[in-house]
Amino acid sequence: HNVEDVDLYRPGGHHPVNLGDVVGHKFKILHKLGNGGFALVWLARDLDQHRYVALKILRADAEDHETKVLKHLKNAAGNVRITNLHETFTIHGPNGAHQCLVLDLGGPSLKHLSMYSKRPPLPFRKAASRKLAEGVAALHSAGVCHGDLTHSNVLFEIPGLHDWTEDDIHRYLGPPKTAPLLLLDGAPAPAFAPTHVVDALDYSQLSTEQLSSNVLIADFSAAFSHDNAPKGLGTAASFAGPELRFGYPPSPAVDLWALGCLIFEIHTFRVLVPTAFGSSEEALAVATETVGALPEEWRDSYDSPLEANAGEKHRWFDD
C-alpha cells in the first residue's frame, strides 16, 4: 500500500486529514494524490470555483521553499508547463501550523503510465516529448533549475476533468482505498492522527486514450536558481546527473540529463538507467554501459561515499 509514514503524525509533523473534510473553508478532500516525507497531496474540490485542485499540505516543521519558486515562475516564465500555484493559506491543527499550496491538478505521472498503460501512439509521444523539453527550456530561461526531474514529477493532463462529478472521479480514477488507523492495542488513533489512512491514487484504471499529450512539471521543492545552487541534490539515482558524483555542483545540466532520460521513457515506457538498489555506483555502471564512457577529465575526481569504492573509479572510463 502507498501510504505515508504514520509516525509522522506528531507535533511538527503531518496534519490529520480525512476524506470528506473541508480544508481552508472551501476545499473538500476527495482522494489522496501522493505521500512525501514533507507533505501530503490531496485531490480536492474547490467548492467556490467548482474545479478540482491538488492541495499540498506541508508538515508543520517543513520549510516552504516551493511557494517562492512558483510565484517567481508565474511572473517570469509566463505560460510555462508547470503545476501553477493558485493560492496559499495556513491551517492550524493538533500538530502545529501547516502551509497549504493550491495547485493545478495534473493527471497520472509518467511513472504511473509506464507501469499500468500501453504505449500511446508515436504522435502522442513526440508531442509530449516536445512539450516537456519546452517546459524545461522555459524554466531555465526564467533562471530556475527543477533539481528533481524524475518520472514521478511529469504529469499528463486529463481533458474534461473539471467537468466530472465527484462520482466520475471515483468511477474513472477508482474509489479511495482506506484502512482504519489503530494503535498497537487496537484503540482508535488519537486526535493528532486521522481516523483512516488512504492509499495514494495509482491511475491504473485510466488508459492513454483518456489523456492529453500536454504535460505538467510538478514538485518544485528541490528547485534552485542558477546563481544559488545547493551543495547537492536528493534526486533518485536513475535520473541524477552523473557529474554530481565527480564534485561538480548542481547546474542546469542536471535537468538536461534528466530530460534525456525522460524522453527515452516517454517513447519506450522503460527507464533508461534502471537500478535494482538505487545506488549511485549502480546508476553510473548502467549509464556507462548505455551511453558510453564518462569524460576523461572526471577521472581523478570521483566522489564515493564508501572509502572502499574510491579505488574503483577507473572502471567508469575508457583505458
Side-chain angles (χ1 to χ4, degrees):
H1 293 287
N2 187 6
V3 299
E4 64 273 22
D5 179 356
V6 296
D7 288 336
L8 292 176
Y9 287 108
R10 53 169 173 73
H14 289 311
H15 179 67
V17 174
N18 290 295
L19 295 173
D21 285 356
V22 176
V23 179
H25 305 294
K26 64 174 183 175
F27 297 104
K28 182 181 178 182
I29 302 298
L30 301 179
H31 218 314
K32 169 86 73 61
L33 291 173
N35 317 297
F38 296 98
L40 301 180
V41 187
W42 298 90
L43 193 165
R45 177 76 171 172
D46 183 334
L47 300 176
D48 287 351
Q49 300 292 327
H50 306 293
R51 66 183 177 190
Y52 297 104
V53 298
L55 181 63
K56 188 171 190 174
I57 305 178
L58 273 61
R59 271 175 32 186
D61 60 3
E63 180 183 352
D64 180 19
H65 167 71
E66 192 168 9
T67 293
K68 183 168 68 173
V69 174
L70 290 171
K71 285 182 176 178
H72 167 74
L73 288 173
K74 198 166 191 176
N75 295 327
N79 191 26
V80 66
R81 299 180 186 281
I82 64 170
T83 49
N84 286 304
L85 177 68
H86 294 287
E87 62 178 283
T88 62
F89 59 92
T90 302
I91 56 174
H92 298 268
N95 296 326
H98 305 262
Q99 182 79 341
C100 300
L101 284 63
V102 182
L103 301 157
D104 283 338
L105 177 61
S109 67
L110 175 57
K111 179 181 180 180
H112 283 128
L113 276 194
S114 59
M115 288 173 64
Y116 296 113
S117 302
K118 64 180 182 181
R119 278 192 302 163
L122 181 59
F124 180 105
R125 288 178 272 147
K126 291 173 70 174
S129 299
R130 185 189 75 249
K131 292 168 184 176
L132 178 58
E134 290 171 352
V136 173
L139 291 181
H140 290 183
S141 294
V144 172
C145 297
H146 186 278
D148 192 24
L149 203 56
T150 72
H151 56 189
S152 297
N153 293 330
V154 174
L155 311 181
F156 289 81
E157 290 185 343
I158 304 172
L161 170 67
H162 295 286
D163 297 325
W164 290 1
T165 65
E166 291 182 20
D167 286 341
D168 289 334
I169 290 284
H170 294 157
R171 181 181 305 118
Y172 295 123
L173 303 184
K177 299 174 184 175
T178 65
L181 183 57
L182 305 174
L183 299 178
L184 290 176
D185 62 4
F192 55 77
T195 60
H196 290 73
V197 289
V198 183
D199 227 359
L201 261 174
D202 63 17
Y203 295 96
S204 57
Q205 295 183 214
L206 272 184
S207 69
T208 51
E209 288 81 7
Q210 294 171 278
L211 302 176
S212 160
S213 62
N214 291 334
V215 295
L216 292 175
I217 300 172
D219 192 355
F220 286 80
S221 55
F224 59 93
S225 61
H226 293 185
D227 56 1
N228 189 26
K231 291 184 178 179
L233 297 170
T235 311
S238 290
F239 299 93
E243 72 274 15
L244 299 177
R245 297 311 308 272
F246 293 85
Y248 291 86
S251 72
V254 299
D255 285 352
L256 297 183
W257 173 270
L259 175 63
C261 294
L262 291 167
I263 289 174
F264 177 88
E265 188 166 343
I266 287 171
H267 280 274
T268 65
F269 273 23
R270 293 190 294 114
V271 176
L272 178 63
V273 184
T275 61
F277 303 103
S279 73
S280 297
E281 280 81 3
E282 186 183 10
L284 280 174
V286 175
T288 53
E289 289 173 8
T290 305
V291 181
L294 297 172
E296 184 63 29
E297 59 266 28
W298 294 4
R299 177 183 287 268
D300 294 321
S301 55
Y302 178 59
D303 177 25
S304 172
L306 302 175
E307 191 65 33
N309 290 345
E312 298 182 10
K313 62 187 177 185
H314 297 295
R315 65 191 285 204
W316 316 122
F317 301 90
D318 283 333
D319 284 306

